[in-house]
Amino acid sequence: MARRERSWLPSIRLLLCGLTLVVVASLSILATRFLDLDHDPRQLRWTQEEQRVPPLTPAQDLSDVPPSSTSDNIWSSKLADYYYGCNKPSSNYSAPPYATNGFLLIQASGGLNQQRIGITDAVVVARILNATLVVPSLDHTSFWKDNSNFSDIFDIDWFIATLAQDVRIVKELPTRLKNPISLRVPRKSTPHYYQKSVLPTLVRKNAVRLTKFDYRLANNLSTDLQKLRCRVNYDALQFTGPIEGMGRTLVQRMKSMSGGRFIALHLRYEPDMLAFSGCYYGGGDREVRELASIRKRWKNLRVRSPERERRNGKCPLTPMEVGLMLRALGFSNETYLYVASGDIYGGESTLAPLRALFPHFFTKESLASDKEMEQFSRYSSRMAAIDYIVCNQSDVFVTNNNGNMARILAGHRRYAGHKRTIRPNAKKLGSFFGLRQEMGWEQFAAKLRSLQKGFMGDPMERSSRRDIFENPRVCICDKTHEVEERGEWMGDEEDELFNIDEVLLEHEPDE
């Protein structure tokens, strides 16, 4: 018996050695993967789940998409003519007194549209405090690296004159007040907070500077203060003559080439946007590594499941998916498309399917010469202002995100008579595009049109958002009285993309 047992020992040893090699090899592979992804085991789950609800990739076939013709009713809503912007104050609203409680200075941070929000709220805070507002300064140290001043972007004299019946505004702080005290107020502070915590210091010191002024005023205010926000945002903040002139020139060129109508698409598909989203966009292991590297910028960023993020509508559509959505909605391949964007992740290869679906594809750089753009091209805020003008004046505006530019433009276009503004029903479309190859074009297009009901910018669409910049309800009237969102709701539950700009801001230190 002992001899028989000894005869099995070599076989057992050989089996154990084999199993050990398999385990070591497996651990080596896993360790390599962890090393590639910043030693974070959570990133491994990222790659395991990413293939479950994959987005459409440029390699997929577009041959079954018919040229089609664009229907006239897709360009505007039948009800839009009944609505208009209204921001007149109530009979109880009075002009500011000659004597104020002191001087208020603010520094608006972020990019152009975040600064626009800060400037608007600064005027309202000055009204709340009965303060003289010094023309706001702009942040020169942010990610955008733009050293433009207020007067380089906005018409400063128009700004002061337009708001003369609301607040007193001066261009500079009097020289006798060289060193105003600096304060940082919490985000989304109420009028009561300003009156209790800021006003006593303002009266005592005669000048207060509010630093890092972004989202520092509550969204819900009295009707008169909300209408003041509208007067600032839509009337007082006009771009300088050169910026306005360049924007209108590009609008005219688009209309001239297209025969009168064009779409503007805010395609925010930059690397930082994609990295922060935690989503997967079909680029394989290279994309996973590149976006993981970018995410190092945010130390406390939670690693998300890309499958769950896409299913919950948190992922922006790819350029190809945006193109397919527009074609399915009824815009033909003869439609002229203006694209406002930064550096697209993946470059021209990423944009190729969108160009194939809409050959009449233009940007500000392709519409204007280098010489025409020379005075703007070194300044990100001035370039963004030109895009803002073209997008606002377009016949249809399409947004692929819920950042500040998209929100403010959506509100501006609602205020201007509910001009057609399309946003993807991201929660439904995110999963639906994965079924693209399982149905013919007609079935696909019909289903997509059904999913997009309630997301086309019609006046009576459901919106649970009460953000005054995106949905200025109190400043929108019909032909007889202010709108109270009466009538039947259109659309599904609110499926918003996250506000990338505000969420990014929340991950920065608030000192």
Side-chain angles (χ1 to χ4, degrees):
M1 177 70 72
R3 186 180 303 169
R4 188 175 301 171
E5 288 177 355
R6 284 194 297 270
S7 66
W8 283 100
L9 285 176
S11 299
I12 293 173
R13 291 194 186 102
L14 184 61
L15 179 61
L16 290 174
C17 288
L19 289 172
T20 302
L21 288 173
V22 170
V23 170
V24 170
S26 300
L27 290 173
S28 299
I29 292 172
L30 291 174
T32 301
R33 199 59 179 270
F34 291 156
L35 288 170
D36 285 344
L37 296 171
D38 309 323
H39 303 276
D40 188 348
R42 295 174 299 173
Q43 296 282 10
L44 183 64
R45 186 181 69 248
W46 205 99
T47 58
Q48 287 173 335
E49 294 182 352
E50 68 196 9
Q51 303 293 344
R52 295 185 186 173
V53 188
L56 290 172
T57 60
Q60 290 175 290
D61 191 14
L62 299 174
S63 60
D64 68 333
V65 183
S68 69
S69 58
T70 304
S71 170
D72 284 341
N73 61 15
I74 193 65
W75 290 95
S76 63
S77 168
K78 295 177 181 178
L79 298 175
D81 290 341
Y82 295 99
Y83 298 86
Y84 64 95
C86 55
N87 58 30
K88 185 178 179 181
S90 70
S91 58
N92 296 324
Y93 190 89
S94 59
Y98 182 79
T100 65
N101 292 320
F103 293 87
L104 177 68
L105 301 90
I106 71 107
Q107 182 183 56
S109 62
L112 172 69
N113 294 289
Q114 185 171 310
Q115 290 172 349
R116 190 180 186 113
I117 293 172
I119 294 166
T120 298
D121 284 348
V123 173
V124 178
V125 170
R127 174 81 188 188
I128 292 169
L129 297 174
N130 183 29
T132 298
L133 178 67
V134 180
V135 169
S137 62
L138 306 183
D139 179 17
H140 296 161
T141 62
S142 67
F143 171 79
W144 288 266
K145 300 291 190 297
D146 189 324
N147 62 0
S148 297
N149 295 315
F150 187 100
S151 59
D152 296 319
I153 301 172
F154 301 106
D155 185 330
I156 191 170
D157 293 323
W158 176 268
F159 177 75
I160 294 173
T162 303
L163 297 171
Q165 297 302 307
D166 299 294
V167 294
R168 297 199 178 279
I169 305 175
V170 296
K171 293 182 180 180
E172 296 179 348
L173 186 69
T175 54
R176 61 185 174 83
L177 298 170
K178 291 184 178 180
N179 298 306
I181 187 171
S182 294
L183 300 176
R184 177 76 60 83
V185 299
R187 292 195 175 110
K188 301 181 180 179
S189 295
T190 64
H192 177 72
Y193 177 89
Y194 281 98
Q195 291 169 339
K196 180 181 178 181
S197 302
V198 178
L199 182 58
T201 305
L202 177 66
V203 172
R204 188 172 66 253
K205 298 292 186 179
N206 204 25
V208 167
R209 184 192 306 277
L210 300 181
T211 61
K212 200 174 173 60
F213 199 78
D214 42 46
Y215 312 105
R216 303 290 165 172
L217 182 61
N219 182 61
N220 295 322
L221 302 175
S222 67
T223 298
D224 271 333
L225 291 180
Q226 296 289 54
K227 288 196 171 186
L228 175 55
R229 271 173 159 163
C230 293
R231 288 196 294 279
V232 179
N233 195 18
Y234 305 133
D235 296 342
L237 284 176
Q238 300 295 318
F239 296 116
T240 62
I243 292 175
E244 193 71 32
M246 189 72 256
R248 291 188 181 278
T249 295
L250 299 189
V251 171
Q252 185 57 43
R253 288 175 185 173
M254 286 297 295
K255 287 187 174 292
S256 177
M257 290 186 301
S258 65
R261 299 189 297 197
F262 70 95
I263 296 174
L265 166 63
H266 185 215
L267 185 63
R268 186 149 189 202
Y269 204 72
E270 296 91 345
D272 66 325
M273 170 79 165
L274 306 191
F276 190 88
S277 72
C279 301
Y280 175 69
Y281 300 93
D285 286 346
R286 178 179 177 180
E287 176 192 306
V288 173
R289 287 193 299 271
E290 290 176 347
L291 298 188
S293 177
I294 295 172
R295 279 194 290 276
K296 292 177 182 178
R297 283 176 49 190
W298 304 287
K299 294 181 180 179
N300 300 320
L301 183 62
R302 178 176 61 86
V303 177
R304 305 175 178 92
S305 159
E307 177 191 4
R308 188 181 306 113
E309 294 301 295
R310 190 168 179 86
R311 190 169 58 242
N312 291 338
K314 303 299 183 182
C315 302
L317 302 184
T318 67
M320 180 179 181
E321 290 169 337
V322 173
L324 286 170
M325 177 188 74
L326 292 175
R327 292 293 297 277
L329 288 174
F331 294 101
S332 77
N333 63 343
E334 292 299 317
T335 302
Y336 279 67
L337 185 67
Y338 178 90
V339 177
S341 71
D343 293 329
I344 298 297
Y345 179 72
E348 283 301 315
S349 62
T350 301
L351 288 174
L354 180 60
R355 287 184 182 273
L357 291 164
F358 290 95
H360 302 296
F361 179 108
F362 297 92
T363 63
K364 54 185 176 294
E365 291 83 4
S366 65
L367 287 170
S369 67
D370 290 343
K371 185 175 182 179
E372 288 177 305
M373 298 299 293
E374 185 177 10
Q375 62 179 311
F376 312 110
S377 58
R378 292 180 290 114
Y379 305 96
S380 60
S381 292
R382 301 179 208 185
M383 295 289 273
I386 293 171
D387 275 337
Y388 187 99
I389 293 168
V390 180
C391 290
N392 195 37
Q393 295 298 317
S394 65
D395 299 275
V396 173
F397 173 61
V398 182
T399 174
N400 191 33
N401 65 88
N402 200 39
N404 288 322
M405 181 172 173
R407 291 168 54 224
I408 292 177
L409 273 167
H412 203 156
R413 292 172 67 87
R414 282 187 172 106
Y415 180 81
H418 281 278
K419 295 161 68 176
R420 176 72 77 196
T421 301
I422 299 173
R423 58 191 177 91
N425 181 350
K427 185 178 290 186
K428 298 296 177 63
L429 294 185
S431 300
F432 176 66
F433 275 114
L435 307 175
R436 164 75 176 93
Q437 303 303 318
E438 298 179 14
M439 60 185 75
W441 174 255
E442 293 302 328
Q443 182 185 3
F444 172 82
K447 178 64 174 175
L448 187 143
R449 288 192 294 271
S450 175
L451 294 175
Q452 271 298 117
K453 287 181 179 178
F455 293 81
M456 300 295 290
D458 292 311
M460 301 311 296
E461 286 180 354
R462 173 192 292 273
S463 178
S464 63
R465 294 182 68 88
R466 296 295 181 263
D467 176 60
I468 185 66
F469 294 98
E470 182 176 352
N471 189 16
R473 294 166 44 145
V474 71
C475 302
I476 299 174
C477 299
D478 65 16
K479 298 298 183 183
T480 57
H481 60 279
E482 288 194 4
V483 177
E484 294 295 341
E485 296 291 341
R486 66 198 192 298
E488 294 297 323
W489 291 126
M490 298 172 62
D492 208 334
E493 70 275 7
E494 185 69 4
D495 292 334
E496 291 288 352
L497 295 168
F498 61 89
N499 177 359
I500 179 66
D501 297 306
E502 188 168 356
V503 176
L504 286 175
L505 190 68
E506 289 173 354
H507 280 76
E508 295 179 1
D510 190 7
E511 303 163 353

